[in-house]
Amino acid sequence: KAGVTQTPRYLIKTRGQQVTLSCSPISGHRSVSWYQQTPGQGLQFLFEYFSETQRNKGNFPGRFSGRQFSNSRSEMNVSTLELGDSALYLCASSTETGRAFFGQGTRLTVV
Amino acid sequence: GQQVMQIPQYQHVQEGEDFTTYCNSSTTLSNIQWYKQRPGGHPVFLIQLVKSGEVKKQKRLTFQFGEAKKNSSLHITATQTTDVGTYFCAGQRAGGGNKLTFGTGTQLKVEL
């Protein structure tokens, strides 16, 4: 089985711009979660989608949003980028037991 | 909100020494998982513990889940240079879907 695929791998954006990140989960996994990883805050949960519905949401501002398509692929969007949004964004697809498989991440740099 | 703390933050050992990292949740968990992240890499699943008091072994790695399902530990016997990385525990709560609350991580460095 192919693993979790995230695109793009690297992004450089300017403050105020918006960005869309993409995630293709492992075939058969209906749950996709997004995490932000920074040196200061560690790994923080953004949101989880299951069968196209947002099932859980972390404590991030409304500038962070996501969606899931009928084929389980997911996107997350960050609008009005701030310098503090620079991070590694990780997507994980999960089995029914909750075991998570992570993609390689998208490294976002905001300048 | 739920918090998961891990200690120590860093551990520097000589190859062949043992290593232990401890994880403590502020709330009762339905299960706890452990992940390893190599420098420049992404978290990779190691194990999932579900039962109170559960102990699981994977070669040189031993994982424990506390009786109260609020704490856990990972012990590595006779570390090797391939063990280098950051080890995270991550807890799930009942009714929380697949949301993982990650611990702060323990960065392990192994010297020859």
Side-chain angles (χ1 to χ4, degrees):
Chain A
K1 270 188 180 178
V4 178
T5 303
Q6 288 188 247
T7 56
R9 291 290 311 279
Y10 302 92
L11 264 180
I12 299 176
K13 289 286 188 179
T14 305
R15 273 181 301 173
Q17 286 187 313
Q18 75 165 14
V19 68
T20 299
L21 312 182
S22 180
C23 172
S24 292
I26 290 172
S27 177
H29 288 187
R30 292 189 291 166
S31 166
V32 174
S33 298
W34 290 88
Y35 294 83
Q36 181 196 64
Q37 186 172 30
T38 59
Q41 299 298 317
L43 275 154
Q44 292 190 291
F45 173 79
L46 281 155
F47 26 67
E48 179 199 3
Y49 285 87
F50 184 86
S51 295
E52 301 179 68
T53 301
Q54 188 180 84
R55 185 157 73 169
N56 283 292
K57 190 176 188 306
N59 296 324
F60 279 82
R63 300 185 297 107
F64 292 80
S65 63
R67 59 179 177 167
Q68 187 180 33
F69 302 95
S70 58
N71 61 358
S72 292
R73 191 177 69 86
S74 178
E75 289 180 347
M76 69 162 280
N77 184 276
V78 188
S79 62
T80 319
L81 284 165
E82 300 176 0
L83 294 179
D85 297 333
S86 295
L88 179 66
Y89 290 88
L90 291 159
C91 167
S93 73
S94 296
T95 66
E96 290 182 358
T97 61
R99 171 181 170 176
F101 293 81
F102 284 84
Q104 292 184 301
T106 294
R107 173 76 61 185
L108 172 65
T109 303
V110 182
V111 298
Chain B
Q2 181 189 10
Q3 289 186 323
V4 179
M5 302 301 294
Q6 244 182 289
I7 56 168
Q9 189 175 2
Y10 301 99
Q11 187 79 57
H12 205 154
V13 301
Q14 297 286 320
E15 191 177 41
E17 292 182 336
D18 291 356
F19 158 77
T20 305
T21 172
Y22 300 91
C23 179
N24 191 57
S25 169
S26 59
T27 59
T28 302
L29 302 170
S30 63
N31 72 87
I32 196 155
Q33 301 177 29
W34 285 89
Y35 291 81
K36 176 183 178 182
Q37 186 174 21
R38 293 181 187 272
H42 57 279
V44 174
F45 175 86
L46 293 176
I47 203 112
Q48 181 180 41
L49 304 170
V50 179
K51 298 176 185 175
S52 169
E54 189 170 15
V55 177
K56 285 189 176 180
K57 292 189 177 184
Q58 288 180 349
K59 297 183 180 178
R60 295 179 294 105
L61 277 61
T62 301
F63 304 84
Q64 292 188 327
F65 199 10
E67 294 291 339
K69 300 184 78 172
K70 294 179 74 174
N71 53 51
S72 182
S73 65
L74 157 60
H75 179 81
I76 302 179
T77 304
T79 55
Q80 300 175 357
T81 54
T82 53
D83 296 326
V84 164
T86 301
Y87 292 84
F88 293 96
C89 62
Q92 286 184 333
R93 294 173 64 182
N98 288 321
K99 173 185 175 180
L100 288 166
T101 300
F102 277 84
T104 43
T106 297
Q107 185 178 349
L108 174 65
K109 293 190 176 179
V110 181
E111 267 191 358
L112 288 171

